[in-house]
């Protein structure tokens, strides 16, 4: 898909209007979704349900960005932002320890510094509480959207609903987690504080590690799935319903005329549409900046490994587990175990240093020594599209062209929030491009 043969591009940059081999209602818009990660694909799916004609453009292919081998967790109830007051105490150790999950490599990039300062400013109880409150309604919408899709279509995506345990290393961290749990309980989340022994009854694979944590928060409703498989399944569903995919097609600029975007510029030609949705993950800001729009997204690099899980009883976990001390997450996806973690402010570099992978292997061995074959791991790195507060940028930005909407900045929760965000952005588009509530307003505050 997406080559000159389908009649969309012209080498001499001639504008070609998409249309209209599909017989859609006259009121439907031609919408160009930029980005074929989970957020762009969920958006395309929602727009299609709403009767629009959709084209999806990506510089690579489906799931090539952060939606590839991410942590696989659908953290609907566990949405505490990374920007948290407790980070101040941990910061010196996190920045100085050689094996720290957090890394900051200063760049000659004012945006990196500005983002870092905004992030630190967001590490306040009031901001963290506001973010958590905003994020608790969005995951509920997202869950409903994803479950509706799964009920409607048989998705092959290694979905499981086995709950989640977050393990805390000491009394101080566990007490802070219990306070956060109370806050989330007031907002409707069902969670329980457990002793290590109780945690082992829920996840027997933790038996050998029980002496190494103080307590755990259990969220029975949490789920997991392979985000890449969801992306691939969505692409197939969308293609089967007439959505066009233009892969290996980098969008270099958005062309503005008065109050509208008239086309997305690519090396292969211009793409015209009635409306554009930017879902470019960590690449979103680059496209917005020349339009004078502030999209406060910076790449927060993370890594994962995937190992074939041992089938022996109690060897590899079936419940999602987060090790709060190491900031590493474990999720069972079918017969594989996905382990993900780390947060690096190092620009758009996607290299995979061997020691980061070794560190994930070591963490896995320590928690689940019999989980699988650690000599055969699949390494991966991805760039979380992170905003300082942790709130995504949804809908139309103040001062942006009427027909330009954003769906980006989901940070560490993009898989979790994708379907709810897609609904909100589609609603904003349907309602005449009014700004969507939660994300945008709080992000730019
Ligand atoms: C290590 C790690 C673990 C994670 N774990 C979880 C988890 O357990 N649960 C969870 O909910 N989330 C998790 N996340 C976060 C989640 O993966 C992201 O928030 C989510 O994938 C973002 O999706 P996206 O579609 O916005 O971006 P992406 O998936 O990055 O997609 C953006 C797409 O845009 C394309 N693109 C970029 N620039 C251009 C351009 N100029 N022109 C054309 N195309 C372009 C890219 O090729 C890419 O395909 C994790 C992330 C990482 C890195």
């Amino acid at each position: 898909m997406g080559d000159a043969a389908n009649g969309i591009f012209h080498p001499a940059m001639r504008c070609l209007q998409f249309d209209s081999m599909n017989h859609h209602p006259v009121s439907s818009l031609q919408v160009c979704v930029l980005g074929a990660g989970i957020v762009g694909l969920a958006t395309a799916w929602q727009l299609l349900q709403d009767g629009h004609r959709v084209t999806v453009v990506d510089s690579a292919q489906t799931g090539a960005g952060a939606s590839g081998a991410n942590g696989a967790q659908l953290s609907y109830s566990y949405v505490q932002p990374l920007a948290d007051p407790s980070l101040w105490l941990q910061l010196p150790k996190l920045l100085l320890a050689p094996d720290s999950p957090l890394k900051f490599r200063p760049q000659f990039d004012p945006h990196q510094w500005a983002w870092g300062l905004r992030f630190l400013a967001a590490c306040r109880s009031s901001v963290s509480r506001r973010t958590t409150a905003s994020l608790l309604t969005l995951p509920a919408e997202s869950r409903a959207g994803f479950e509706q899709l799964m009920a409607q279509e048989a998705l092959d995506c290694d979905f499981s609903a086995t709950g989640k345990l977050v393990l805390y290393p000491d009394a101080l961290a566990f007490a802070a987690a219990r306070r956060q749990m109370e806050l989330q309980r007031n907002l409707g989340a069902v969670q329980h504080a457990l002793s290590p022994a109780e945690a082992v009854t829920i996840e027997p694979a933790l038996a050998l590690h029980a002496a190494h944590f103080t307590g755990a928060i259990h969220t029975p409703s949490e789920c997991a799935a392979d985000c890449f498989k969801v992306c691939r399944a969505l692409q197939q569903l969308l293609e089967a319903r007439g959505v066009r995919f233009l892969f290996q097609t980098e969008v270099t600029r958005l062309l503005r005329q008065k109050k509208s975007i008239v086309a997305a510029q690519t090396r292969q030609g211009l793409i015209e549409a009635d409306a554009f949705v930017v879902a470019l993950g960590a690449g979103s800001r680059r496209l917005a900046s020349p339009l004078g729009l502030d999209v406060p997204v910076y790449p927060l690099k993370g890594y994962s490994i995937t190992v074939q899980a041992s089938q022996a009883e109690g060897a590899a976990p079936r419940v999602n587990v987060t090790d709060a001390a190491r900031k590493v997450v474990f999720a069972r996806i079918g017969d594989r175990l996905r382990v993900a973690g780390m947060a690096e402010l190092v620009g758009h570099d996607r290299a995979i240093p061997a020691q980061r992978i070794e560190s994930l292997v070591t963490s896995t061995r320590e928690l689940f020594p019999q989980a699988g074959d650690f000599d055969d791991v699949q390494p991966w790195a991805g760039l979380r599209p992170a905003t300082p507060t942790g709130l995504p940028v949804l809908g139309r930005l103040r001062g942006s062209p009427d027909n330009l909407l954003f769906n980006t900045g989901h940070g560490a929760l993009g898989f979790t929030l994708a379907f709810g965000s897609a609904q909100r952005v589609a609603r904003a588009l349907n309602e005449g491009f009014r700004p969507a509530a939660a994300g945008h307003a709080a992000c730019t505050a």
Side-chain angles (χ1 to χ4, degrees):
M1 297 295 282
D3 55 17
N6 66 19
I8 291 164
F9 293 130
H10 190 281
M13 304 288 283
R14 187 161 60 88
C15 295
L16 297 170
Q17 184 76 44
F18 294 137
D19 214 21
S20 202
M21 285 133 75
N22 306 322
H23 303 287
H24 288 279
V26 181
S27 61
S28 81
L29 298 170
Q30 173 66 59
V31 188
C32 180
V33 175
L34 311 182
I38 188 64
V39 173
L41 292 164
T43 307
W45 176 253
Q46 187 58 48
L47 292 170
L48 190 74
Q49 307 305 303
D50 293 350
H52 300 298
R53 291 156 292 149
V54 185
T55 299
V56 181
V57 190
D58 198 288
S59 54
Q61 66 296 104
T62 293
S67 308
N70 66 17
Q73 309 217 354
L74 292 160
S75 285
Y76 295 122
S77 308
Y78 215 94
V79 292
Q80 189 176 8
L82 189 62
D84 183 81
S86 65
L87 206 75
W88 284 107
L89 285 176
Q90 300 169 39
L91 210 55
K93 192 175 158 211
L94 283 173
L95 286 176
L96 297 173
D99 60 344
S100 169
L102 191 73
K103 191 163 148 189
F104 175 57
R105 194 196 304 144
Q107 317 267 302
F108 292 112
D109 174 8
H111 175 53
Q112 186 197 40
W113 288 87
W115 190 96
L117 291 174
R118 282 164 88 169
F119 175 78
L120 290 176
C123 289
R124 283 179 290 144
S125 304
S126 56
V127 180
S128 170
R129 267 202 305 273
R130 222 175 31 235
T131 304
T132 304
S134 306
L135 285 181
L136 271 185
T137 54
L138 187 54
E141 293 163 29
S142 210
R143 176 178 208 134
F146 187 43
E147 286 181 357
Q148 192 186 353
L149 170 65
M150 283 196 301
Q152 207 175 309
E153 312 287 339
L155 295 193
D156 168 20
C157 64
D158 294 328
F159 176 82
S160 65
T162 47
K164 171 165 169 160
L165 284 165
V166 183
L167 316 182
Y168 293 93
D170 54 51
L172 200 68
F174 191 35
R178 288 205 303 272
R179 283 196 298 277
Q180 178 72 19
M181 186 184 79
E182 289 311 320
L183 170 69
Q184 299 200 175
R185 178 174 296 159
N186 294 337
L187 296 163
V190 176
Q191 297 181 308
H192 310 284
L194 304 180
S195 67
E198 288 168 327
V200 172
T201 60
I202 286 167
E203 179 45 76
L206 280 170
L208 296 172
H209 189 66
H212 301 284
F213 61 96
T214 298
I217 301 291
H218 182 220
T219 313
S221 59
E222 299 293 65
C223 305
D226 184 335
C227 185
F228 181 72
K229 284 193 174 182
V230 176
C231 288
R232 216 174 41 193
L234 271 172
Q235 182 197 331
Q236 284 163 3
L237 290 172
L238 290 164
E239 277 177 337
R241 288 159 174 78
V243 168
R244 279 174 206 266
F245 280 85
L246 306 174
F247 290 132
Q248 313 301 336
T249 305
E250 185 186 359
V251 178
T252 51
R253 221 175 120 206
L254 292 171
L255 304 183
R256 182 179 192 158
Q257 248 173 39
K258 295 186 183 153
K259 284 182 160 184
S260 296
I261 296 297
V262 289
Q265 182 175 302
T266 75
R267 287 193 184 83
Q268 294 91 329
L270 300 181
I271 304 169
E272 290 186 337
D274 300 316
F276 296 80
V277 179
V278 176
L280 296 175
S284 301
R285 186 177 171 274
R286 278 183 185 160
L287 225 57
S289 296
L291 298 167
L293 301 173
D294 176 28
V295 175
V297 170
Y298 192 82
L300 204 55
K301 185 178 183 182
Y303 301 89
S304 78
I305 56 171
T306 308
V307 296
Q308 206 60 34
S310 163
Q311 296 304 309
E313 200 58 40
R318 295 197 172 273
V319 172
N320 298 311
V321 174
T322 298
D323 182 341
R326 293 176 178 81
K327 304 201 186 306
V328 173
V329 298
F330 302 83
R332 185 67 174 267
I333 39 175
D335 57 2
R336 296 163 297 153
L337 179 66
R338 173 73 46 77
V339 184
M342 289 138 192
E344 300 183 348
L345 279 174
V346 295
H348 288 261
D349 170 19
R350 281 189 66 178
I352 307 181
Q355 72 268 27
R356 297 310 246 171
I357 298 307
E358 278 157 27
S359 167
L360 286 178
V361 170
T362 302
S363 296
T364 315
R365 277 188 203 276
E366 282 175 18
L367 263 77
F368 306 110
Q370 295 153 357
D373 179 3
F374 298 114
D375 293 329
D376 184 18
V377 305
Q378 286 172 3
W380 177 83
L383 305 176
R384 302 177 187 89
T387 63
T389 59
L391 283 175
V393 182
L394 306 180
R396 179 173 165 266
L397 285 173
R398 207 161 288 126
S400 74
D402 292 341
N403 63 344
L404 178 64
L405 291 94
F406 289 84
N407 194 357
T408 188
H410 298 80
L413 288 167
F415 186 24
T416 306
L417 302 178
F419 290 87
S421 303
Q423 286 170 9
R424 289 198 187 181
V425 170
R427 209 177 306 138
L429 186 137
N430 294 336
E431 288 171 359
F433 310 151
R434 277 207 299 274
H440 157 233
C443 270
T444 52

